Amino acid sequence: DAAFAMIADNFLKIEPGLASGGEVQAAWGIMRNIANGAFIIMFLAIIISQLTGFGISNYGIKKMLPRLIIAAILVNLSIYICQIAVDLSNILGYGLRAGLGGIGDGISAANSVLKSGQGGETWGGIALTVLAGATAAVLALAVLIGALVSGLVVMVTIAALLIARKALIVILIVISPLAFVAFLLPNTEKFFSKWRSTFVGLLMVFPIV
C-alpha cells in the first residue's frame, strides 16, 4: 500500500499544474494560433474555389466543411479536452485502487474470522512452520543479493520511464491543436490517430498499474 501510494502520488498522477500551468498554456497558445492560421488558409481556399470554380469541387467542399467546423472548435478547446482526460485518468487510477483494495480488505477480514474460529495451533505445527521458514531463508540468501541489485536497476528504469511519460503527456497537450488540424484531411488523419492513441495510452498507464 505504501509503495503504491508513493508511485501513484509521485509518478503516475498527472498534477493539474502540468496540464494547465502558465508555461503549458503559453506554448499551447502558440500551437493554437498556428492551427487557426491553417484554418484561415483553408477557408480562403474554399471561398476562392466557390468564386472561380477552380480547386476544390462542390462535393469536396460539402464533405470538408463539417469536418473543418468541428476541427476548428476542437482546436480551440483542445487544452480543456486534454485536461478532462488527465482528470479522468487520475480519478480512474485512484478509484480502481480503492475498489480493489476494498475487495482485498473484505477477504482479509473474512479470513481472520475463519482463523479465529479454528482454535490454536499445536507445538508441532509451530515447529514445522519455523523449520520451513528457516530453510526458505537459507535458500533465498543465495539469490537475495542478485535480486536486490536487479530490483534496484528495474526500479530506477521504471522511475525514469514514468518521468518521461509525464513529459511526453505535456508535449502531447501542447501540440494538441496541430493534432486536431491533422484530423481534417484523409492524408493527415493518420497523424491525429497516432496522437490520440499515444495520449490515451500514456494516460491509461495509471489505471492499469
Side-chain angles (χ1 to χ4, degrees), residues 6-198:
M6 186 274 292
I7 294 172
D9 295 341
N10 294 288
F11 296 105
L12 295 175
K13 180 180 74 173
I14 304 299
E15 294 80 1
L18 281 179
S20 59
E23 294 86 355
V24 175
Q25 289 268 11
W28 172 82
I30 295 171
M31 296 296 125
R32 180 200 57 197
N33 293 339
I34 294 172
N36 286 332
F39 285 127
I40 292 172
I41 294 172
M42 289 179 185
F43 275 118
L44 287 174
I46 290 173
I47 293 170
I48 292 171
S49 297
Q50 284 289 90
L51 292 175
T52 62
F54 293 102
I56 306 172
S57 64
N58 286 335
Y59 174 77
I61 291 172
K62 289 178 181 178
K63 191 174 180 181
M64 182 185 293
L65 200 56
R67 291 171 69 96
L68 190 62
I69 295 171
I70 292 171
I73 294 171
L74 291 177
V75 159
N76 290 279
L77 296 177
S78 58
I79 193 167
Y80 306 108
I81 295 171
C82 292
Q83 287 169 5
I84 291 171
V86 166
D87 289 340
L88 288 175
S89 170
N90 290 335
I91 292 169
L92 190 57
Y94 282 114
L96 277 174
R97 175 63 182 86
L100 294 173
I103 294 172
D105 293 340
I107 294 172
S108 298
N111 192 37
S112 298
V113 172
L114 183 63
K115 281 186 176 181
S116 65
Q118 290 177 345
E121 296 185 8
T122 63
W123 284 106
I126 294 173
L128 285 173
T129 301
V130 172
L131 181 61
T135 304
V138 171
L139 293 174
L141 190 60
V143 295
L144 182 60
I145 295 175
L148 286 175
V149 172
S150 300
L152 182 61
V153 171
V154 170
M155 289 291 287
V156 171
T157 304
I158 290 174
L161 290 174
L162 292 177
I163 292 171
R165 164 184 169 265
K166 282 192 175 186
L168 190 53
I169 286 173
V170 172
I171 292 171
L172 291 174
I173 291 173
V174 168
I175 66 171
S176 59
L178 301 181
F180 284 110
V181 169
F183 169 72
L184 270 176
L185 303 174
N187 292 336
T188 59
E189 192 175 357
K190 61 184 179 182
F191 298 114
F192 169 76
S193 299
K194 184 66 176 175
W195 174 88
R196 181 187 59 195
S197 61
T198 304

